[in-house]
Amino acid sequence: MKNVIALLIFLSSTQHLSAQYFTIYNTANSGLPDNTVRVLANSSHGSLWIGTDWGLSSFNVGNWSVYQSANSALPDNSIRSIAFDNLQRVWVGTFLEGVAVIENDSVIKVFNTLNSPLPDNQVRCIAVDSTGGIWLGTTGGLACVRDSVWEIYNINNSELLSNNIASLHFDAQQKLWVGTVNGGLARLDEKNWTVFNPSNSGMADNTVLGISHDSNNVLWLVTPAGGLTAFDGSSWLNFNVANSLIPSNSLNGIVIENQKKIISTINNGLVIYEGGTNWQHYHVSNSLLPQNELLSIVTGDSGCVWLGTSNSGLVKFCESISDSYSPVFSQTQVTVLNPVVDVLHLQFTGDLADVQMIIYDYTGKKQFFRHEKISSDFSLSVSHLTQGFYFLEITNHNHRIIRSFIKL
């Protein structure tokens, strides 16, 4: 009976696994300049901008543009933040050389500590307010530049408890939320500051790496050690590995789509929270995610998200293929010829294409992965698999089919 229950649980989870779709871009198969992707941002024109450790790139409908110090006036190839102002100029924060402004594919300005009041040359985050003010979070404080006029906020002239600014977010009322390293969370409402930290609120961590609001105006925070925090304006709620099904307390990014909280973790893959006890967890053992260490996340089209990894490039993740892909396998029939001993025999009818094949065991662990060019009759060696129940997943660029088999 226990085996039947385990199988039913896995069948339910496998239906979810069968809907996931990963597309991976790296230096070997695209125009990406480096496989360490630290920041992602969407422009209003539909292009994705990607900040790496070795340059900046933009990607739109298969076309790549790359900006590096060698081919442009970009002052530093190590990119930390990207945002777009009201004129659709691109503001690019760097690790060592301040912030660059790109207009019409050219760097037109660079602001640093030598030629401006910028408090530090490491620009970790950028946000733009509704009146066109550019807010720059640095490791030396917060700066705002508006019509060439600068304002600087730090621990000496404001209520900020840390000069190391990690995240910025404007809510619907244009209040600025400022996440810091070891200084908690600050809110700036015109000239009035409010500071939240573990000693005066229900926050679980004094560092905030990501901030977002849902459609109910609930604030969501991700932290590197305290997990996920929700704040509705009066009450705080913390989700961690001790009190929920979240797989890690080490989080660094969040986007919200249709009330789903989609979260990148520092070392444990991708997490999706839909409320209650409904958590989904994607990692290298149960999906095509190339690694568990994620550095950045941003929304994509049709409910998809883009993920930046620490050394495996850029990943597009779609939880449901039907949201964004037309099924070229729609007329294909796949039959597994049982019993399966050492060779898995398949019969295909209908549309055929280059595919990738993945085999999962009953726990959801990936046991086999290979690209194949399939034909009407296809055989696959499974002699390395132990006896048991398995799932075969067949994927091309547009659709996915899943079949189960038992190896004797």
Side-chain angles (χ1 to χ4, degrees), residues 29 67 70 82 116-118 127 190 208 220 253 257 276 278 285 309 315 342 393 395 403 406:
N29 67 7
Y67 304 82
I82 304 170
S116 76
L118 189 70
E190 295 182 351
V208 179
W220 293 84
E257 283 283 319
N278 193 351
S285 296
T309 70
V315 178
D342 289 329
E393 198 172 54
T395 310
R403 295 290 182 266
I406 298 174

Side-chain angles (χ1 to χ4, degrees), residues 335-341 343-347 377-378 405:
T335 302
V336 177
L337 301 182
N338 282 297
V340 176
V341 183
V343 178
L344 177 66
H345 297 284
L346 304 172
Q347 286 185 344
D377 293 290
F378 185 82
F405 67 93

Side-chain angles (χ1 to χ4, degrees), residues 177 184-187 194-205 208 211 218-223 228-239 243:
W177 295 81
L185 175 72
R187 183 182 65 203
T194 306
V195 175
F196 306 93
N197 55 50
S199 64
N200 71 359
S201 74
M203 288 181 62
D205 196 329
V208 179
I211 310 170
V218 175
L219 182 76
W220 293 84
L221 311 173
V222 293
T223 70
L228 176 68
T229 296
F231 177 51
D232 66 1
S234 58
S235 300
W236 298 81
L237 184 62
N238 295 304
F239 301 88
N243 67 11

Side-chain angles (χ1 to χ4, degrees), residues 293-352:
E293 186 178 355
L294 303 179
L295 301 180
S296 51
I297 183 170
V298 73
T299 55
D301 58 329
S302 303
C304 301
V305 295
W306 293 93
L307 307 169
T309 70
S310 66
N311 57 36
S312 297
L314 174 69
V315 178
K316 186 176 185 180
F317 166 74
C318 302
E319 195 174 17
S320 175
I321 292 171
S322 61
D323 287 342
S324 57
Y325 294 93
S326 58
V328 300
F329 272 7
S330 59
Q331 302 302 315
T332 298
Q333 299 297 320
V334 180
T335 302
V336 177
L337 301 182
N338 282 297
V340 176
V341 183
D342 289 329
V343 178
L344 177 66
H345 297 284
L346 304 172
Q347 286 185 344
F348 292 83
T349 59
D351 299 323
L352 302 176

Side-chain angles (χ1 to χ4, degrees), residues 23-43:
T23 306
I24 300 169
Y25 301 89
N26 53 45
T27 55
N29 67 7
S30 72
L32 195 68
D34 189 76
N35 285 331
T36 301
V37 178
R38 294 194 178 271
V39 60
L40 298 165
N42 290 309
S43 77

